């Protein structure tokens, strides 16, 4: 059932929700959270489709906030709210309200959303695109216990990770972090099978994929080893290689669906590591609404620490440079060259006159013994 409301208010939208539930014969509200989706008109359909699929596992009231851009100054001065209320089969599991904000009301979206939140239920805000750098500082993000972003959709995804680390607030999370959950689980299970000392790691994946950086930062933070980030043609993450004192551990996924786990001294094993869609990622994030401490420590590790040299390697390189510099001949100044020649001449004269200075002093102090008379 769909109910269209033009130039409406939050109170009228609430009445339309009650009217729709009664019309379909389900007056009870059996939803566990409110999911606020902040997007634009271009990405609204895909975002709502993913949210409806995730709602099969987490029945929720979905509020889609679309801020429409007014073209003329006269339209920007007017405030208008249009809404589309969907209940029953048209809304999937739960309820859906599509809010379109025009003019000045677009700058006060939190005032429109607040009366529509489910009472005594957690609130999750999701930005599929154009997420703020500080989600907790956003007026809509301040209403939520959990704030979901996706750095993969940003213009500069790797640089965005540094900005998110500086502005992190407990409750923030990223779908780029959610994408590597199967990789982290598989690598942790592989390390549980051996008792080897890890000496280094390498993460391989497509260039502008922040999941590769996040996985490398997680390995560097958890294992305290140098991590190298290398680029490949994708899709997504393609391989992780761990170097140990007893051999290598390799998790390789070339086709985006089936991976191969190789451990030194053991037969290779095929592992299912398919690339998951947005609905699966969102459903995973909605399973836990408490702060993700591991994600926080991974962000604080820093992107800049990837591809760093170990202290031992850096010291060895410095020692080699020092040794090379000492063996290289230093240019001589003209005064030094003359002084050196003068020293050489004085040494030659001293040698021709009876040896070195120490020998001359010794002969002066000890006179030669006279021969005995025959």
């Amino acid at each position: 059932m769909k109910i269209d409301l033009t130039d409406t208010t939050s109170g009228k939208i609430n009445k339309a929700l009650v009217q729709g539930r009664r019309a379909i014969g389900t007056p009870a509200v059996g939803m566990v959270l409110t999911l606020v989706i902040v997007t634009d008109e271009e990405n609204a359909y895909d975002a709502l489709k993913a949210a409806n699929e995730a709602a099969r596992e987490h029945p929720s009231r979905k509020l889609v906030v679309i801020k429409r851009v007014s073209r003329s100054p006269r339209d920007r001065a007017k405030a208008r709210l249009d809404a589309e209320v969907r209940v029953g089969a048209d809304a999937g599991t739960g309820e859906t309200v599509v809010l379109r904000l025009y003019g000045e009301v677009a700058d006060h979206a939190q005032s429109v959303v607040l009366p529509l939140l489910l009472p005594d239920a957690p609130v999750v805000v999701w930005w599929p695109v154009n997420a703020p750098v500080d989600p907790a500082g956003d007026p809509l993000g301040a209403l939520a216990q959990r704030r979901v972003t996706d750095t993969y959709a940003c213009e500069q995804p790797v640089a965005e990770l540094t900005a998110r680390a500086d502005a992190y607030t407990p409750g923030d999370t990223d779908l780029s972090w959610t994408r590597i959950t199967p990789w982290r689980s598989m690598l942790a299970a592989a390390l549980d099978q051996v008792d080897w000392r890890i000496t280094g790691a390498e993460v391989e994946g497509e260039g502008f994929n922040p999941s590769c950086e996040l996985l490398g930062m997680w390995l560097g933070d958890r294992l305290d080893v140098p991590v190298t980030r290398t680029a490949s043609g994708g899709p997504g993450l393609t391989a992780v290689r761990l170097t140990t004192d007893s051999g290598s551990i390799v998790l390789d996924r070339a086709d985006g669906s089936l991976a191969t786990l190789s451990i030194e001294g053991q037969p290779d094993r095929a592992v299912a590591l398919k690339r998951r869609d947005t609905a699966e990622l969102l459903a995973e994030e909605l399973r836990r609404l408490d702060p993700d401490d591991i994600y926080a420590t991974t962000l604080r590790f820093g992107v800049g620490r990837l591809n760093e040299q170990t202290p031992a390697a850096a010291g060895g390189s410095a020692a080699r440079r020092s040794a090379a510099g000492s063996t290289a001949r230093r240019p001589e100044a003209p005064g030094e060259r003359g002084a050196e020649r003068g020293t050489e001449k004085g040494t030659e004269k001293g040698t021709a006159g009876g040896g070195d200075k120490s020998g001359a002093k010794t002969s002066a102090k000890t006179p030669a013994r006279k021969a005995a008379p025959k």
Side-chain angles (χ1 to χ4, degrees), residues 204-221:
E204 180 185 280
E206 58 185 4
F208 294 96
N209 191 335
S211 297
C212 303
E213 273 72 19
L214 285 170
L215 183 57
M217 292 154 61
W218 175 72
L219 289 172
D221 178 62

Side-chain angles (χ1 to χ4, degrees), residues 197-210:
R197 185 174 66 88
I198 311 299
T199 57
E202 179 186 359
V203 178
E204 180 185 280
E206 58 185 4
F208 294 96
N209 191 335

Side-chain angles (χ1 to χ4, degrees), residues 97-109:
V97 180
V98 181
L99 304 169
R100 290 181 172 86
L101 285 63
Y102 299 84
E104 296 179 351
V105 73
D107 298 328
H108 305 280

Side-chain angles (χ1 to χ4, degrees), residues 148-194:
V148 183
T149 59
D150 191 359
T151 53
Y152 187 79
C154 298
E155 188 70 24
Q156 298 291 335
V158 178
E160 191 74 14
L161 290 177
T162 303
R164 296 286 168 84
D166 296 335
Y168 175 79
T169 302
D172 294 351
T173 189
D174 190 348
L175 293 185
S176 296
W177 170 255
T178 315
R179 290 183 179 95
I180 63 173
T181 300
W183 287 80
R184 295 189 292 125
S185 302
M186 190 56 58
L187 291 172
L191 291 177
D192 284 342
Q193 302 177 28
V194 296

Side-chain angles (χ1 to χ4, degrees), residues 334-351:
E336 292 179 354
R337 185 178 301 173
E340 185 177 348
R341 289 178 179 176
T343 305
E344 291 176 354
K345 290 180 180 179
T347 304
E348 291 175 358
K349 290 180 180 181
T351 305

Side-chain angles (χ1 to χ4, degrees), residues 34-68:
T34 303
L35 176 62
V36 182
I37 306 171
V38 186
T39 183
D40 53 15
E41 199 71 61
E42 179 183 359
N43 298 278
Y45 175 80
D46 293 334
L48 186 55
K49 180 180 178 182
N52 285 333
E53 293 180 10
R56 297 174 183 174
E57 184 177 341
H58 311 279
S60 58
R61 173 178 288 180
K62 298 171 287 294
L63 305 177
V64 184
V65 179
I66 303 174
K67 299 179 181 180
R68 298 294 297 267

